[in-house]
Amino acid sequence: MAGHDWWGAPQWAAYLEYMELPIKAASKDALARLEEGEENRRGHDYAALLFDDPLLALRLLREANRRLPRHLARDITTPLGIVLALGTEQFKRQVRDAPQALEDNQGFMAAERHAARGARIAFAWGSLHHDLDQGELALAALLADAGEIELWAFAPELPNKALEELHSGRASRKIGRAHV
């Protein structure tokens, strides 16, 4: 992506805000499996799909909050809230119509796995500590690195360049986790 070397956080945020977020093929497959036994499905079954795909969760969270009437003055912050705000038909349509992420982007896939693992840990931690809504904790953990995941999806040369700097010894920071 030419011409982005001088971009700061505001430029990236503006650029990424309107990008069509890709989802994993596994999310589409999981939805197809859910639809096979459709008559007994609950909102929780659909909400569970979000924990494995951060960009799917972000895509649907944006759409659900966009549809929410502003007079309610409350944002949707849970996976189940997303399903309830969209309805199952719109939820399924959003998943079916979403572009599919390239599976050969190893950095993207690793960042998504890391986020999904964090979401599962947060959900379990919330359950053990009797949190009123562990789904909210899990969604926050899932989306904590959404900016990095989006960079891996739309401009993988940037995080790759950052990793090269870290591995070369020229960078002043330590590597927290290796993606590739």
Side-chain angles (χ1 to χ4, degrees), residues 10-79:
Q11 290 83 9
W12 277 110
Y15 172 73
L16 293 172
E17 182 177 359
Y18 298 103
M19 294 298 291
E20 185 79 18
L21 297 176
I23 68 171
K24 296 190 306 191
S27 297
K28 292 184 179 217
D29 295 342
L31 177 63
R33 284 192 301 278
L34 274 179
E35 289 178 311
E36 289 172 4
E38 180 99 29
E39 66 278 348
N40 296 324
R41 295 293 172 214
R42 303 173 308 140
H44 289 284
D45 298 327
Y46 292 103
L49 292 177
L50 302 180
F51 291 124
D52 289 321
D53 193 337
L55 290 188
L56 172 61
L58 183 57
R59 175 188 183 87
L60 296 180
L61 181 63
R62 283 179 180 169
E63 183 63 25
N65 278 308
R66 194 175 299 133
R67 292 169 168 266
L68 183 70
R70 287 297 110 198
H71 69 275
L72 293 178
R74 181 165 180 199
D75 287 336
I76 296 165
T77 59
T78 66

Side-chain angles (χ1 to χ4, degrees), residues 100-169:
Q100 199 166 301
L102 300 175
E103 305 264 333
D104 63 344
N105 184 339
Q106 295 302 311
F108 171 77
M109 298 305 284
E112 284 229 329
R113 279 191 306 275
H114 177 80
R117 185 172 41 252
R120 291 193 189 315
I121 291 168
F123 190 87
W125 186 83
S127 298
L128 290 173
H129 286 66
H130 308 290
D131 195 280
L132 290 177
D133 200 340
Q134 60 269 25
E136 188 171 38
L137 289 175
L139 189 60
L142 185 71
L143 299 178
D145 292 329
E148 178 186 355
I149 296 168
E150 287 180 292
L151 283 178
W152 277 110
F154 298 114
E157 66 277 5
L158 291 177
N160 274 325
K161 189 187 289 186
L163 285 175
E164 287 172 17
E165 282 292 309
L166 287 171
H167 289 297
S168 73

